[in-house]
Amino acid sequence: MTEEQIEYRVTAEGVKKAFGDNQVLKGVSFKVEQGTATTIIGPSGSGKTTLLRTLNALDRADAGVIRVDDVELDFSKPQPKSEVRRFQSRSGFVFQSHNLFPHKTVLENITEGPLIVQKRPKDVVISEAVELLEQVGLAAKRDQYPYQLSGGQQQRVGIARALALKPKLVLFDEPTSALDPELVGEVLSVIKDLAVEGWTLVIVTHEIQFAKQVSHQVLFTDQGIILERGTPDEVIGDPKEERTRQFLQRILNPL
């Protein structure tokens, strides 16, 4: 398949972002093919989460062009709020710390966005939410509140909530970092299923073996740039850059 025939869900070109004097992203460019999973790995402070958040404009880039599905924003110039909202509506975001509404039931957490933001029919939204709960293995928890759930269950509700918006792209910000080790597997299993089903995913993760299993593309970031990119076999199995090798050695073979 030629470059022209590939359908990209995400295209980022020259993305820059600074917080004060700290230049976190230094002109990042990459593409994500439709129906594939891309993982972003790298040391703390390398810009992984900031890069992910620019894809939903949770952090507005200072410069660069990002296209998600059919909406493109040029962050070097002011953007109308309506266009930013269109851009944000193309993706769903799964946070590290669940971010569920504590006073709402599991079902209410999932239906909030489709009902309030998208103004879709209530009976349809509830039916789809129940299906999503079955998909993430939590159908029996629909009427419980977040405090009644384990961390892994809360994160699976967070995933269902993101999917309920029918996004073209699902973004995961270290979805297992806040979980106890024994709960990590249940969340990673759900994400693997989404990858198999053909959702377009971008995942910031420190779970290197998971990245190796789930990814079509791996991006290794360091000091605000993408230092290396390729398939898992290329980046994780046979990295070209010494910095990538050092990072993986430290992660995979800790003292």
Side-chain angles (χ1 to χ4, degrees), residues 87 242 247:
F87 179 81
E242 178 60 26
F247 171 78

Side-chain angles (χ1 to χ4, degrees), residues 1-246:
M1 186 178 290
T2 66
E3 178 77 10
E4 291 75 19
Q5 293 173 312
I6 297 173
E7 186 171 351
Y8 290 106
R9 184 66 83 197
V10 179
T11 304
E13 298 176 2
V15 178
K16 297 181 180 181
K17 178 64 180 178
F19 295 99
D21 294 332
N22 183 18
Q23 190 72 40
V24 180
L25 300 177
K26 303 173 182 176
V28 172
S29 301
F30 69 101
K31 295 179 179 180
V32 176
E33 193 174 338
Q34 178 178 328
T36 65
T38 291
T39 52
I40 305 174
I41 63 173
S44 297
S46 63
K48 304 185 300 292
T49 289
T50 299
L51 176 56
L52 190 77
R53 289 171 65 90
T54 63
L55 300 182
N56 188 252
L58 287 168
D59 286 337
R60 300 278 186 95
D62 299 324
V65 177
I66 303 176
R67 180 177 60 79
V68 176
D69 194 39
D70 60 339
V71 184
E72 182 176 282
L73 294 185
D74 183 345
F75 287 96
S76 63
K77 59 183 78 168
Q79 297 293 329
K81 287 183 179 179
S82 60
E83 200 64 7
V84 173
R85 283 195 294 268
R86 281 187 68 228
F87 179 81
Q88 292 176 321
S89 72
R90 296 306 188 263
S91 59
F93 204 99
V94 180
F95 298 87
Q96 287 184 36
S97 54
H98 326 311
N99 282 19
L100 301 178
F101 297 113
H103 60 289
K104 292 183 180 293
T105 66
V106 164
L107 189 65
E108 289 168 342
N109 265 279
I110 295 171
T111 59
E112 170 95 355
L115 289 175
I116 304 302
V117 179
Q118 297 178 334
K119 303 188 187 312
R120 294 172 50 217
K122 186 173 182 178
D123 57 338
V124 174
V125 167
I126 290 176
S127 175
E128 291 175 352
V130 170
E131 287 183 18
L132 285 170
L133 282 172
E134 290 175 354
Q135 185 176 345
V136 300
L138 293 173
K141 305 290 185 181
R142 57 177 283 176
D143 296 320
Q144 294 193 355
Y145 290 86
Y147 76 89
Q148 297 174 297
L149 307 178
S150 70
Q153 290 170 337
Q154 290 185 46
Q155 192 61 295
R156 284 187 278 156
V157 174
I159 294 171
R161 181 179 60 180
L163 299 181
L165 296 168
K166 298 183 178 295
K168 301 296 185 180
L169 170 70
V170 189
L171 306 170
F172 294 85
D173 183 17
E174 299 212 28
T176 61
S177 65
L179 301 180
D180 292 332
E182 68 267 23
L183 301 177
V184 168
E186 66 187 59
V187 174
L188 296 184
S189 176
V190 170
I191 300 173
K192 287 178 187 176
D193 288 344
L194 298 180
V196 170
E197 291 167 14
W199 289 83
T200 306
L201 313 176
V202 179
I203 309 158
V204 170
T205 185
H206 59 277
E207 302 280 350
I208 301 302
Q209 293 299 341
F210 165 71
K212 196 170 184 178
Q213 293 168 9
V214 79
S215 307
H216 297 85
Q217 173 180 232
V218 178
L219 309 178
F220 174 73
T221 61
D222 189 45
Q223 299 184 356
I225 64 170
I226 295 175
L227 191 62
E228 192 159 357
R229 80 189 71 204
T231 66
D233 286 344
E234 291 168 340
V235 176
I236 299 173
D238 186 24
K240 306 285 187 295
E241 300 288 337
E242 178 60 26
R243 182 69 186 92
T244 315
R245 288 196 289 271
Q246 291 173 352

